[in-house]
Amino acid sequence: MEKKRVYIFGKKIADGKADMKNLLGGKGANLAEMCLLGLPVPAGFTVTTEVCTEYYANNCQLPAELMPEVWAAMTKVEEMMGMKYGDPDNPLLVSCRSGARSSMPGMMDTVLNVGLCTTTIPGLIKKTNNPRFVWDSYRRLVMMYADVVMEKAEGLEPAEGKGIRKILDEKLDEFKKSKGYKEDTQISADELKTLAEDFKSIVKKALGTEFPDDARAQVEGGIKAVFKSWNGKKAISYRKIEGIPEEWGTAVNVQAMVFGNMGDSSATGVAFTRNPATGENLFYGEWLVNAQGEDVVAGIRTPSPLNDDTKNEQNKHLASMQEAMPQTYKELDAIRTILDNHYKDMLDIEFTIQEKVLYMLQCRVGKRTGTAAVQIAMDYLKEGKIDEKTAVMRVEASQLDEVLHPICNPNEEKKHNVLVKGLPAGPGSAVGKLVFTAEDAVAAVRKDAKAQVILLREETNPEDVEGMSAAVGILTARGGMTSHAALVARGWGKCCIVGAGKLHINNDTKTAKIEGTDIVLKEGDVVTLNGTKGHVYAGAIPLMDASDNPSFQEYMKIVDKFRTMGVRTNAETAEDAQRARNFGAEGIGLFRTEHMFYGKGSEQPLFLLRKMILSNTTAERVTALNELYPYVKKDIKETLLVMDTLPVTFRLLDPPLHEFVPQSLEKQAEVAKALGISAEAVAKRGEALHESNPMMGHRGVRLGITYPEITEIQIRAIFEATAELLQEGKKPYPELMVPVTSDVSELDVTKVIFDKVAAEVAKKFGVASIDCKYGTMIEIPRACLLANKMAKTAEFFSFGTNDLTQMSFGFSRDDIGGFLNEYLDKKMLAADPFQTIDQEGVGQLIEMAVTRGRATRNNLKVGICGEQGGDPASVEFCFKLGLNYVSCSPFRVPIARLAAAQSAIKAGK
Ligand code: ADP
Ligand code: MG
Ligand code: MG
């Protein structure tokens, strides 16, 4: 059979259904589903995503078969709606709506009121007896069509960077100002008519082509434009951030228009079936009387609350739909229940009321904060609507990050006065310097990856997504809880406040004045956002973490029922270890011994280490090491105690020694005195340790090969700490990990020391033996290739994927800032391999090492301790390779637990 390109929906029938998202896009599939549920949906048809692929494959030409199929479908829509497209007396109008598989809010284009032209306008005026409505619809069509179809889709570069939409918007504003109008609704029919005519001549002048006055041509143009918008700049950026594949394409939905702009008994709105910020089981939304389409989302007018539950400081004076149209509200609320029972998930819906008649225009699974995602999953589970497995799959692992997100320390927050208030659109808190454009936000982070900026905008639009992604927080002066900024920020779990109406932004001077005060915020000023409350403060308020949320704790218990792979943490202080344990870590996968020489309390051990490093003879070195020993043992013992009953992997000293050589004259003099030599001699010994490529220099296991006494005291500290804890009735499980190995001989030489010390300590404590696993970090490609030999001595492998990635790519971890962005921008690499395992390349090495290692020792324990251990995709990869555990930083432990459980569920375990 010839391939079907067009799928019809309307009046309780549909060719498609909800699970056909790949073919029909999310919007088309759900429109079909709502029709099948018997909900009031204006009839229409969906042109498939495959046609989009065909269109691009075909050099941006629609396949010849398409338009005849479209017109045939249109005939059926005409029958269902009782109107005719392009008819002078009873004209049907349509919208051309984009709709990809996964939702991309506002990233692609939609054109409304298609079909209005010289032949149809008089008929529609006569039929509706509402010229104002017709001319309002027409001027909207001209604006949207010129922007989407005639400019963007044609790839025209706007003169002086000002697109046609902007030019027409300014013209409209200018006109309103000249008349003293505040709202669009004040403009009269005749004025709208004149405006539309003016718009058309402006379009002609700016774009060089006439606005098409032919209904059929408008539809074809609309379909093409929607396809084109798949490759618009903002859609491409959004896909990159969200990881949506380019080849998916968008569908086009051509749908009969219904009108929210026919007067005061008409309206349009958007809603969530549950609260998307908190997850509460309350209907949540915004609406606007006498408005069309995107007026709600675009922040043109402050939207009114849907109901009592949606009222807040900013909108409580406005009439809710519950109050103004109680009957229609009831109908909408009933639809909410039908949808909730049917989809068993929180949905985001769009509706329009045409002269008191309610129509559903869209539904999709709604974006939510991580906190809401957990709450919603737990609620549906408790309502008996979903099972535990489904609940586990309902939360994206990376979203848990924001559940653990820092919030303002409440005690500190109390001491600050609120600078300005807005709506709490995205969770958690953020502290950063203000920037006024998306470009500035991107530039700041490009310059310094750790830069913390808050993006301050009048309102955001889809062009801003990259800057929004780069910022730690987003603040807007306009827009509601369903505005673009709010939707996108919530999807990302980013702190966001919208609609802070007292901010008067001047983009030219990059300043914002706060109404009713003399305060003027400038670029670079530090502010704190509390996105959970919608409060903005001047200066930096200290943040704290928010992990003891009871729903979260309960949820994680269910998650662990399905998890089969272990999750450990990388930690080296008792504090980190304790936090990770609270987050559910089942051990430490990487304890970096050298950590005791940095930061708090490191003065004395560092001094002794320096003394040891700068020693000239073994005797001198042993003296220094003996002095250092108690510190090393104490550190190890404390950690074993915090992790009592759980394994702790101690890594032998890893960094090149010269990193610790004192640089200041004063410190050099101190060490000189302790060693009884001159300061010059100390400086000289320090210089002698200098290496031209320390990353590949004298470090890791190599230190112990040349100075076995360094290895020996560390091993002794581990055994003695363990023996002491055993005596105290504790259950320590130490593991020794040898770093930077490339040959089994290195493991063998070190093992001799290990066995000798083990026997000595056992004897000293009068026990037969002390258990400690002996293993190695796998971080050099050669070790992967020779894993069968490494496993002869090693009882476990732990992949150090940071170094393994560095050595496989030959990319210096510390220098990638200079070139990695180019690789990502040019799509030469799909992702930063230091954040997510390069499965294709580095992944082969890991797989090989696992297979070869286990061929030698079938119970070889294998884990990973690179930062990628907390990345959901990497966790799934590790699961597939049969790793025993992943180890990651404390805050990512819950993410790894969820990702591991989801991997197990996906694998049908
Ligand atoms: P997006 O994907 O950006 O949400 P939509 O295709 O949903 O874009 O269109 C945006 C808005 O336009 C909708 O929320 C709806 O209010 C309005 N709209 C689209 N199609 C119609 C229609 N057939 N009748 C009335 N309004 C429509
Ligand atoms: Mg929509
Ligand atoms: Mg390393």
Side-chain angles (χ1 to χ4, degrees), residues 27 42 93-99 104-112 255-260 268-270 292-294 297 350-352 361-362 364:
K27 199 178 286 168
L93 302 188
V94 296
S95 59
C96 294
R97 316 174 64 186
S98 55
M104 301 169 58
M107 296 302 141
M108 286 179 300
D109 294 315
T110 283
V111 192
L112 305 181
Q255 186 178 24
M257 282 299 300
V258 290
F259 301 99
T268 183
V270 295
Q292 193 173 48
E294 300 188 301
V297 190
E350 298 180 352
F351 62 91
T352 280
L361 289 173
Q362 188 170 331
R364 64 184 164 204

Side-chain angles (χ1 to χ4, degrees), residues 762-784:
K763 196 167 159 217
K764 177 173 166 190
F765 283 79
V767 294
S769 66
I770 301 165
D771 274 345
C772 178
K773 278 209 159 59
Y774 183 82
T776 184
M777 192 144 168
I778 302 281
E779 51 191 330
I780 295 179
R782 189 176 192 274
C784 296

Side-chain angles (χ1 to χ4, degrees), residues 338-394:
I338 294 174
L339 289 172
D340 197 71
N341 288 332
H342 181 71
Y343 281 90
K344 302 173 186 3
D345 201 354
M346 186 269 269
L347 302 181
D348 156 348
I349 62 177
E350 298 180 352
F351 62 91
T352 280
I353 300 157
Q354 175 176 329
E355 302 190 304
K356 293 205 169 130
V357 183
L358 175 66
Y359 295 94
M360 296 301 296
L361 289 173
Q362 188 170 331
C363 80
R364 64 184 164 204
V365 170
K367 292 199 190 287
R368 59 201 75 181
T369 63
T371 311
V374 170
Q375 190 63 48
I376 289 169
M378 287 307 293
D379 285 349
Y380 279 103
L381 180 65
K382 286 182 183 160
E383 288 161 29
K385 290 180 177 156
I386 59 173
D387 61 10
E388 291 190 334
K389 238 182 220 179
T390 311
V392 171
M393 297 307 290
R394 275 283 166 87

Side-chain angles (χ1 to χ4, degrees), residues 662-895:
Q663 300 302 321
S664 74
L665 290 177
E666 186 197 337
K667 292 280 176 212
Q668 286 180 356
E670 237 177 78
V671 179
K673 197 169 150 220
L675 285 170
I677 56 173
S678 70
E680 294 81 67
V682 164
K684 233 193 198 137
R685 289 186 194 178
E687 276 162 31
L689 286 170
H690 177 81
E691 292 176 315
S692 48
N693 201 347
M695 237 329 161
M696 300 199 223
H698 196 180
R699 56 174 295 215
V701 67
R702 297 157 207 169
L703 287 173
I705 302 294
T706 47
Y707 307 123
E709 55 278 12
I710 297 182
T711 301
E712 184 171 330
I713 73 131
Q714 295 180 75
I715 294 177
R716 190 175 303 282
I718 294 172
F719 277 111
E720 290 211 352
T722 306
E724 287 175 16
L725 286 168
L726 285 169
Q727 274 184 344
E728 293 161 27
K730 304 289 180 202
K731 292 198 173 69
Y733 289 98
E735 301 175 341
L736 180 81
M737 177 157 77
V738 185
V740 204
T741 52
S742 56
D743 195 273
V744 69
S745 62
E746 296 163 325
L747 286 175
D748 291 337
V749 169
T750 310
K751 185 76 180 346
V752 173
I753 305 172
F754 181 85
D755 289 340
K756 181 190 86 156
V757 176
E760 284 170 10
V761 176
K763 196 167 159 217
K764 177 173 166 190
F765 283 79
V767 294
S769 66
I770 301 165
D771 274 345
C772 178
K773 278 209 159 59
Y774 183 82
T776 184
M777 192 144 168
I778 302 281
E779 51 191 330
I780 295 179
R782 189 176 192 274
C784 296
L785 299 168
L786 298 176
N788 50 338
K789 288 192 175 165
M790 305 295 280
K792 281 190 181 144
T793 307
E795 293 171 277
F796 68 88
F797 287 173
S798 177
F799 291 97
T801 41
N802 298 342
D803 271 329
L804 189 57
T805 300
Q806 168 164 278
M807 304 232 197
S808 301
F809 275 89
F811 283 177
S812 160
R813 268 200 265 171
D814 303 317
D815 303 312
I816 46 165
F819 53 84
L820 187 69
N821 279 327
E822 295 287 319
Y823 277 78
L824 297 175
D825 287 348
K826 298 202 169 98
K827 300 203 171 76
M828 297 160 69
L829 280 177
D832 175 352
F834 290 97
Q835 287 180 24
T836 186
I837 291 177
D838 158 49
Q839 299 184 14
E840 191 187 6
V842 177
Q844 279 194 52
L845 286 168
I846 298 176
E847 185 170 9
M848 175 190 295
V850 173
T851 313
R852 294 188 180 179
R854 287 198 174 139
T856 300
R857 185 188 290 270
N858 63 17
N859 63 349
L860 182 78
K861 212 160 52 75
V862 187
I864 151 183
C865 60
E867 248 321 287
Q868 296 98 328
D871 162 66
S874 306
V875 171
E876 185 169 1
F877 183 67
C878 291
F879 172 87
K880 285 185 180 150
L881 294 186
L883 263 58
N884 299 80
Y885 67 88
V886 296
S887 186
C888 55
S889 55
F891 272 105
R892 297 176 109 187
V893 166
I895 300 177

Side-chain angles (χ1 to χ4, degrees), residues 406-421:
I407 55 170
C408 284
N409 180 324
N411 295 325
E412 295 291 329
E413 190 174 359
K414 267 189 239 150
K415 298 181 199 154
H416 286 70
N417 289 326
V418 179
L419 198 60
V420 59
K421 283 186 193 174

